């Protein structure tokens, strides 16, 4: 079996901004060893109290963990109202990472890691990427819901003259 790096980015926020975020992220990936995917519907796991506006999936023959997180942080600065749950499975290294990113940084409590034995146990004998993604999504739930419900500044403060 050929090993690959799988990236799934689940997006939350205003639909128009989510679509723009997805386009900007796909543009950053041009020229990399993988194929961009369109924004697709995504059902969040049971227990979530928020709905996703969709997800992007990306598959590469090279390990891009650091690069993917950096690109997501850069794009999120352009769309601060979008919350992104970036999940990466690096099959070659038996590791998976999830980061909840908003406004250019990782949201507090928004990191989930599966490495070595823990990764192998969840991945199983049938090599289920789906189980890995579900585990990462469950680990991100609280951070996503907090990030979505925290009020964000939407414009510059008004100048008030006395």
């Amino acid at each position: 079996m050929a090993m690959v790096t799988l990236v799934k980015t689940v997006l939350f926020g205003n639909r128009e901004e989510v679509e723009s975020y997805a386009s900007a992220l796909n543009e950053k990936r041009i020229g990399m060893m993988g194929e961009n995917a369109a924004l697709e519907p995504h059902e969040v796991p049971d227990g979530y109290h928020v709905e996703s506006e969709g997800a992007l999936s990306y598959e590469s023959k090279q390990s891009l963990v650091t690069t993917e997180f950096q690109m997501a942080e850069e794009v999120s600065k352009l769309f601060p109202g979008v919350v992104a749950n970036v999940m990466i499975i690096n099959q070659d290294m038996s590791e998976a990472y999830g980061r909840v990113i908003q406004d250019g940084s990782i949201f507090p409590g928004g990191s989930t890691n599966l490495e070595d034995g823990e990764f192998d146990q969840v991945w199983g004998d049938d090599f289920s990427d789906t189980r890995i993604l579900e585990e990462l999504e469950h680990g991100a739930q609280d951070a996503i819901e907090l990030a979505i419900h925290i009020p964000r500044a939407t414009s510059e403060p008004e100048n008030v003259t006395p």
Side-chain angles (χ1 to χ4, degrees):
M1 172 170 54
M3 295 294 177
V4 296
T5 299
L6 303 172
V7 182
K8 186 163 191 172
T9 304
V10 181
L11 300 169
F12 303 84
N14 170 286
R15 181 71 183 173
E16 187 175 299
E17 285 186 346
V18 164
E19 289 173 353
S20 296
Y21 182 107
S23 293
L25 186 57
N26 276 336
E27 283 181 32
K28 285 197 162 291
R29 289 177 172 153
I30 292 174
M32 297 174 74
M33 293 180 65
E35 189 171 321
N36 285 328
L39 187 64
E40 299 173 345
H42 179 76
E43 291 290 323
V44 294
D46 289 341
Y48 270 61
H49 299 100
V50 294
E51 294 297 319
S52 161
E53 286 299 324
L56 291 171
S57 295
Y58 184 75
E59 188 174 299
S60 176
K61 300 290 185 213
Q62 58 188 2
S63 177
L64 302 169
V65 175
T66 303
T67 302
E68 280 292 334
F69 286 135
Q70 288 172 342
M71 289 188 305
E73 289 173 2
E74 290 170 14
V75 171
S76 73
K77 289 177 186 175
L78 303 173
F79 307 99
V82 174
V83 175
N85 183 16
V86 182
M87 299 173 287
I88 302 174
I89 301 173
N90 186 344
Q91 295 173 343
D92 287 336
M93 302 300 292
S94 293
E95 58 191 17
Y97 303 99
R99 302 290 183 265
V100 177
I101 298 174
Q102 184 180 33
D103 200 10
S105 61
I106 297 169
F107 195 81
S111 295
T112 306
N113 298 334
L114 297 173
E115 298 173 301
D116 304 322
E118 187 178 14
F119 177 91
D120 293 336
Q121 182 179 4
V122 175
W123 204 28
D125 294 334
D126 61 343
F127 310 112
S128 174
D129 294 327
T130 302
R131 274 196 308 274
I132 295 285
L133 292 171
E134 287 171 355
E135 188 77 15
L136 293 174
E137 277 197 276
H138 282 293
Q141 179 179 350
D142 290 342
I144 290 168
E145 291 184 5
L146 282 172
I148 288 171
H149 291 104
I150 289 178
R152 307 291 299 174
T154 55
S155 63
E156 303 250 348
E158 293 181 26
N159 287 333
V160 178
T161 55

